[in-house]
Amino acid sequence: MMRIKSIHLGNAFITLLLSYLAVFLLPLALGSILYTKTNTIMTDNANRANLAMLEQLRQVLDSKLKDVEQMSQQIALNPRLQWLMNNTDNTDTADAYKFVEFVSDHMSRYQNVSDLISGYYVYFGANDTVLMPTSKTTADVLYQRLYRPVGTSFEAWRGGLLGGPHYKDYTPATYETPTGTLDTITYIQTLPLGEPNDIRGALVILLDVGQVRSMLSKIESAYQSSVYIFDRKDRLIVGNERQALPWNQISQEVTTKGVPYEYKDHGEEMMLSYTVSEQNGWKYVHTMPKHVYLERVQTLKNWMITLLLICLAGGGAAITFWVHRNYAPLRGVVRALQSEKPARAKQPSNEYEFIRETIRMTIHEERELRNILSRQTPVIQASFLSRFVRGHVDVARMTEESLQFMDIRLISDVFAVMLIDIADFSRFSTDQSERQWALIRFIISNIGNELIRERGWGYSVELDQHRVALLVNFDRERRAEAEKELDVIAARLKELIEQRFKTYITLAIGDVHEGMDHACESYFEALSALDYKMYRGHSSIIRYREIAEADRHYYYPIETEIQLINFTKSGDVDNVDKLIGNLFHAHFSQRRITPELGRSLFTNMVSTLWKIINPMDPLYREVFGEKFDPLKELSSCPTVEEMKVQIRDWFLALCHYLNASRSGHSRQLSERIAQYIEQHYGDDSLSLTTIAEHFQLTPQYLSAFFKKQTGMNLTDYLTRVRIDEAKKLMQNKKLTFAQIANQVGYANDIGFIRVFKKYEGTTPGKYRESL
């Protein structure tokens, strides 16, 4: 206690008191400034809130309208609808039934696409036929009994559908229906799609205005405001026509001045906000009386005055309370430190000086602790280098002292990173345990260290189980030779590891960068280059500068996909092979695309394959098998070449299958296959695979085709031919079973005897005795 009294107690107390007074007075000064800005802030907040509300409304309607437009595209591009358009003049009963089939198979499936759709139909102008989701009718019945536009005659209504091209046209309209009047937004799409000079019909979708009005009414009641929706021609789509503002008169001024736009309506000051949909050009306009949000300003003013009085009344007591409360812990810290530390010859002048001196002593103790930690330098060094190459180190705080502590020396700020990916060391050791992984990483790290220090400086870093990084630090005077040196290091390292240690590695080299905070850029470049091993394969050297110019897009348009689908469905093997070959040549030979885009291209082509085979379910299993999973099979292909071969084989196999399934020569092909087996059954290498190669078919397709044509598995048929021939040869008592087995295609008599007993129910010896 005597040591505590020797400190000038109270100095810290006075400092805290003055600080709290300053903090107390600061809000009072800021409050007066804040009040002067409140009006502007509230106006801006109201405008932002209105814009956010309008933007949310726009996004909801755009989403719903996008569903409508997608539905329109699907119906308009339906091949069956195109056929019906081209055959409307055909009165054949069977063809007429195609309309009913289209209704049940296609039109009905879109009834639940969107809750915004109240009805839709397709109108054929040539025969006044109308196809609805559940029925087929005529234009006259539709007009008279179902949807009659108010104030529009039948001829005017029909002429509006066929009189001119419509593309995504939205028009407000009111219809008389059996249940009453119906307010709608009518969406019209001329058919066929994309042929404005040959209009043969129209797709009409009726959108329920009631739902849109319901959304607007909620906003209007919540904000005491009005909301209007205008189309791109400034026609009022949704809103109260009697209260609607003259948008076509003020739109130019609103666009010029921007929002919020203030104007007077019958003497009342109003604020207007609006947003425009990029999807369809609709304008969402919101108007609000200014007094609605300015009332909050007055409320805020009253609250500020009340709070100011409360602060003045209780501020003094609060300051006193908090000063004492915050000073008590400080006093407790001083007492605790004095009880733990020895007495000093010179006492500090106040509490803060005492704590500062105690911290100095703690730093001294920390230095002693660092000496102990220095024995852990290799582990600390490895951890630091791993974080440094990844960019997880704050280089601004990296001092020379901290580098020395970790036993790290850098000769300049010129860096490059080389990544070594261990692909296969099975020839070095068949043991794949963690111990062997650690050993091979140790070997690569040590050889890498020796090579980079022959030409500069640097360190090896173990990143994970199969990856090592080399951080190469070049002398600034040799900056011009850095890239060449990296190539030499990589080539030498690859040669030593693969020849001496029988280990395949892939090396990825990042560019040379200057500045410690840019060393990580070389790491990420090397990481990007490493992805290209799917193109180059294992045991390769990949430089980022070689792949940096790779294209960032690929070309697989819908027209190409439709061509591929049509060629495949028609069994056009040559065109399918040519089209796939052109796609691969354009993306992997003429130019380079990134591995990510390459995987995306293959995934899209697999999606095209599924579009073809899904309607064939379950027949496609005859070609590809029950457990066909193309994406899984592609992911198991390590290189692009293997992926390309796999994709091509799938499409060609499907072409062959479709050709054979509808070709008049299927029986001839099956007879040729049977004849080939009967001629070559004595070849012990004859199998499903070799027969498929001879007829240029896939084994899966050959097996499915032969069974479909003959009702027997191909392997069973081959075995039966061999057994029948063997039974003939057994009549010659001079031939041994080994000789007979060899003549009918078996490598030894053991396999022949086992197969013979399986198919005949007796051994060859007993069968010969029965002869």
Side-chain angles (χ1 to χ4, degrees):
M1 290 295 297
M2 294 303 295
R3 290 195 297 272
I4 295 175
K5 291 181 179 179
S6 63
I7 300 175
H8 295 284
L9 294 175
N11 291 343
F13 181 86
I14 295 173
T15 303
L16 287 173
L17 179 61
L18 294 176
S19 299
Y20 277 105
L21 286 173
V23 172
F24 175 73
L25 294 174
L26 181 61
L28 297 180
L30 293 177
S32 61
I33 299 174
L34 178 63
Y35 178 73
T36 61
K37 301 293 184 179
T38 301
N39 195 350
T40 302
I41 292 174
M42 291 301 294
T43 302
D44 291 341
N45 286 344
N47 180 58
R48 284 195 295 269
N50 294 340
L51 287 176
M53 173 272 300
L54 288 177
E55 189 65 20
Q56 183 178 9
L57 175 62
R58 181 195 64 77
Q59 291 176 359
V60 171
L61 285 181
D62 280 358
S63 176
K64 292 179 179 292
L65 293 177
K66 185 176 181 181
D67 292 339
V68 172
E69 293 175 2
Q70 289 179 348
M71 166 186 165
S72 169
Q73 294 292 319
Q74 292 175 9
I75 295 176
L77 295 175
N78 191 301
R80 186 65 61 84
L81 180 62
Q82 303 294 328
W83 185 90
L84 293 176
M85 283 285 177
N86 295 327
N87 292 272
T88 53
D89 295 330
N90 194 339
T91 59
D92 184 77
T93 304
D95 290 335
Y97 185 70
K98 298 295 185 178
F99 289 84
V100 178
E101 285 184 334
F102 183 80
V103 169
S104 61
D105 294 344
H106 300 279
M107 290 292 289
S108 59
R109 71 173 61 174
Y110 299 101
Q111 294 185 74
N112 299 320
V113 167
S114 174
D115 56 359
L116 189 62
I117 298 175
S118 61
Y120 59 94
Y121 58 87
V122 175
Y123 172 66
F124 296 84
N127 56 8
D128 270 357
T129 299
V130 175
L131 300 185
M132 301 183 70
T134 58
S135 63
K136 170 180 174 291
T137 184
T138 63
D140 181 72
V141 173
L142 178 73
Y143 177 84
Q144 295 295 339
R145 299 183 181 180
L146 299 177
Y147 299 106
R148 174 185 292 181
V150 176
T152 304
S153 65
F154 175 80
E155 294 300 325
W157 167 74
R158 184 177 181 276
L161 295 178
L162 301 176
H166 299 279
Y167 180 72
K168 296 182 181 180
D169 281 355
Y170 293 91
T171 305
T174 302
Y175 290 90
E176 292 181 4
T177 67
T179 58
T181 59
L182 175 65
D183 292 335
T184 69
I185 301 174
T186 304
Y187 174 93
I188 305 176
Q189 175 64 61
T190 297
L191 299 176
L193 187 63
E195 296 184 12
N197 297 324
D198 184 21
I199 301 174
R200 284 176 269 171
L203 168 63
V204 180
I205 302 176
L206 307 179
L207 308 182
D208 188 1
V209 175
Q211 287 201 22
V212 182
R213 287 176 178 169
S214 177
M215 288 188 286
L216 299 188
S217 63
K218 293 178 182 178
I219 297 172
E220 292 173 344
S221 61
Y223 289 86
Q224 302 180 30
S225 57
S226 299
V227 180
Y228 310 94
I229 301 178
F230 298 89
D231 65 5
R232 65 176 71 230
K233 298 179 181 179
D234 291 339
R235 295 178 299 183
L236 182 63
I237 297 293
V238 182
N240 193 324
E241 295 182 356
R242 292 177 295 178
Q243 299 178 0
L245 73 164
W247 173 257
N248 55 351
Q249 300 177 13
I250 65 172
S251 59
Q252 185 64 36
E253 186 176 358
V254 172
T255 304
T256 303
K257 293 185 177 181
V259 292
Y261 174 78
E262 297 181 358
Y263 69 99
K264 287 188 176 182
D265 184 16
H266 299 91
E268 183 176 12
E269 293 185 347
M270 306 288 291
M271 182 180 75
L272 180 146
S273 303
Y274 83 102
T275 185
V276 181
S277 171
E278 296 180 358
Q279 179 175 319
N280 50 36
W282 286 11
K283 303 174 184 67
Y284 298 79
V285 182
H286 178 270
T287 61
M288 173 190 290
K290 290 184 66 175
H291 70 80
V292 173
Y293 61 86
L294 288 181
E295 287 179 355
R296 301 175 186 175
V297 177
Q298 187 62 35
T299 302
L300 179 63
K301 175 182 177 182
N302 297 333
W303 273 103
M304 289 181 63
I305 294 174
T306 303
L307 291 175
L308 179 62
L309 295 176
I310 294 174
C311 290
L312 291 175
I319 288 175
T320 303
F321 171 77
W322 285 107
V323 167
H324 280 285
R325 180 167 181 169
N326 290 330
Y327 179 73
L330 178 63
R331 183 175 55 191
V333 170
V334 172
R335 289 177 178 176
L337 291 175
Q338 286 189 334
S339 64
E340 296 293 335
K341 300 296 180 181
R344 298 173 176 81
K346 180 180 179 183
Q347 292 296 333
S349 59
N350 55 47
E351 296 91 335
Y352 292 110
E353 183 63 31
F354 175 80
I355 295 174
R356 189 179 298 111
E357 189 173 334
T358 303
I359 292 174
R360 292 197 195 99
M361 294 180 62
T362 304
I363 293 174
H364 176 72
E365 294 172 355
E366 181 186 1
R367 289 175 180 171
E368 294 180 355
L369 181 62
R370 284 177 178 270
N371 294 330
I372 299 173
L373 293 176
S374 63
R375 292 191 291 270
Q376 303 295 325
T377 298
V379 177
I380 298 173
Q381 181 191 89
S383 175
F384 171 81
L385 291 174
S386 176
R387 291 183 294 110
F388 178 72
V389 297
R390 289 186 171 101
H392 297 165
V393 174
D394 186 359
V395 296
R397 298 184 179 182
M398 190 171 66
T399 62
E400 187 67 29
E401 181 182 358
S402 63
L403 293 177
Q404 291 177 358
F405 168 73
M406 293 180 288
D407 193 23
I408 295 176
R409 180 173 69 91
L410 301 177
I411 60 176
S412 73
D413 62 347
V414 180
F415 297 95
V417 175
M418 183 185 305
L419 291 180
I420 301 102
D421 189 77
I422 305 170
D424 180 19
F425 65 90
S426 58
R427 293 194 303 161
F428 173 73
S429 172
T430 57
D431 182 11
Q432 297 290 315
S433 64
E434 182 57 38
R435 181 175 178 273
Q436 291 300 319
W437 277 102
L439 176 60
I440 197 65
R441 290 196 303 271
F442 175 78
I443 293 171
I444 293 175
S445 297
N446 279 274
I447 296 177
N449 270 333
E450 292 179 5
L451 290 175
I452 59 179
R453 293 181 182 182
E454 287 177 0
R455 292 171 171 77
W457 191 252
Y459 298 89
S460 61
V461 187
E462 294 186 10
L463 299 179
D464 51 39
Q465 185 187 51
H466 59 87
R467 190 166 294 170
V468 177
L470 297 182
L471 176 66
V472 188
N473 188 203
F474 291 102
D475 192 325
R476 181 171 286 276
E477 295 179 357
R478 303 182 62 187
R479 171 67 175 83
E481 305 173 4
E483 292 184 356
K484 181 179 179 181
E485 296 291 348
L486 284 173
D487 292 341
V488 174
I489 293 172
R492 183 59 179 158
L493 177 61
K494 180 176 179 294
E495 178 185 2
L496 289 173
I497 296 300
E498 293 187 354
Q499 292 184 2
R500 294 188 183 181
F501 300 97
K502 309 301 181 182
T503 298
Y504 292 112
I505 59 174
T506 303
L507 295 96
I509 307 174
D511 288 342
V512 180
H513 292 272
E514 297 183 9
M516 292 187 178
D517 54 338
H518 296 291
C520 62
E521 296 180 12
S522 183
Y523 165 76
F524 289 114
E525 291 171 352
L527 202 60
S528 299
L530 196 59
D531 282 341
Y532 280 76
K533 66 182 179 182
M534 64 179 289
Y535 293 123
R536 306 285 184 84
H538 301 303
S539 185
S540 58
I541 299 176
I542 308 171
R543 300 164 184 83
Y544 178 77
R545 63 179 180 270
E546 296 174 353
I547 58 95
E549 299 299 325
D551 285 345
R552 303 297 173 181
H553 71 280
Y554 67 88
Y555 183 75
Y556 187 57
I558 186 65
E559 294 83 4
T560 301
E561 183 182 32
I562 291 174
Q563 280 185 331
L564 184 56
I565 291 173
N566 291 336
F567 287 151
T568 305
K569 286 184 175 180
S570 63
D572 191 343
V573 176
D574 294 336
N575 276 326
V576 169
D577 194 14
K578 180 179 179 181
L579 184 58
I580 294 177
N582 289 340
L583 276 174
F584 291 157
H585 179 72
H587 290 92
F588 303 109
S589 299
Q590 289 183 340
R591 60 193 183 95
R592 295 191 303 268
I593 62 174
T594 64
E596 294 81 4
L597 291 180
R599 296 187 186 98
S600 297
L601 175 61
F602 288 130
T603 301
N604 281 348
M605 295 186 72
V606 169
S607 175
T608 303
L609 183 68
W610 275 116
K611 291 177 182 178
I612 300 172
I613 65 179
N614 268 336
M616 300 168 55
D617 187 25
L619 297 179
Y620 76 85
R621 294 184 175 88
E622 298 180 4
V623 185
F624 302 108
E626 290 290 337
K627 299 181 179 180
F628 181 55
D629 189 349
L631 290 179
K632 183 177 180 180
E633 294 183 28
L634 274 184
S635 63
S636 64
C637 297
T639 65
V640 167
E641 291 302 320
E642 294 181 23
M643 295 181 185
K644 288 158 61 176
V645 171
Q646 189 70 76
I647 288 282
R648 178 181 175 274
D649 287 347
W650 286 334
F651 277 96
L652 294 184
L654 192 56
C655 284
H656 288 305
Y657 176 80
L658 292 173
N659 274 333
S661 64
R662 58 173 171 258
S663 172
H665 302 287
S666 297
R667 186 169 185 82
Q668 295 179 10
L669 177 59
S670 65
E671 291 175 353
R672 288 172 54 207
I673 295 172
Q675 184 180 7
Y676 182 83
I677 293 174
E678 292 169 1
Q679 293 173 354
H680 298 85
Y681 67 90
D683 186 358
D684 59 357
S685 64
L686 187 67
S687 64
L688 176 64
T689 302
T690 58
I691 298 172
E693 290 177 354
H694 175 77
F695 288 94
Q696 297 182 348
L697 302 172
T698 63
Q700 296 90 341
Y701 170 73
L702 176 62
S703 177
F705 170 79
F706 191 86
K707 184 174 183 180
K708 183 177 181 181
Q709 295 296 322
T710 65
M712 180 185 297
N713 288 331
L714 186 141
T715 53
D716 290 340
Y717 182 81
L718 172 60
T719 303
R720 175 49 60 191
V721 171
R722 286 172 169 172
I723 294 298
D724 291 341
E725 291 299 322
K727 288 162 70 175
K728 295 177 182 179
L729 294 174
M730 286 182 192
Q731 297 178 6
N732 186 354
K733 303 294 184 178
K734 296 181 180 181
L735 293 176
T736 65
F737 289 127
Q739 291 173 329
I740 294 173
N742 184 260
Q743 289 187 35
V744 297
Y746 290 96
N748 54 64
D749 58 342
I750 296 175
F752 165 72
I753 293 170
R754 184 175 62 252
V755 173
F756 189 94
K757 184 176 182 180
K758 176 181 177 183
Y759 278 80
E760 295 298 321
T762 183
T763 63
K766 291 183 179 180
Y767 178 82
R768 173 174 273 181
E769 291 175 2
S770 69
L771 293 177

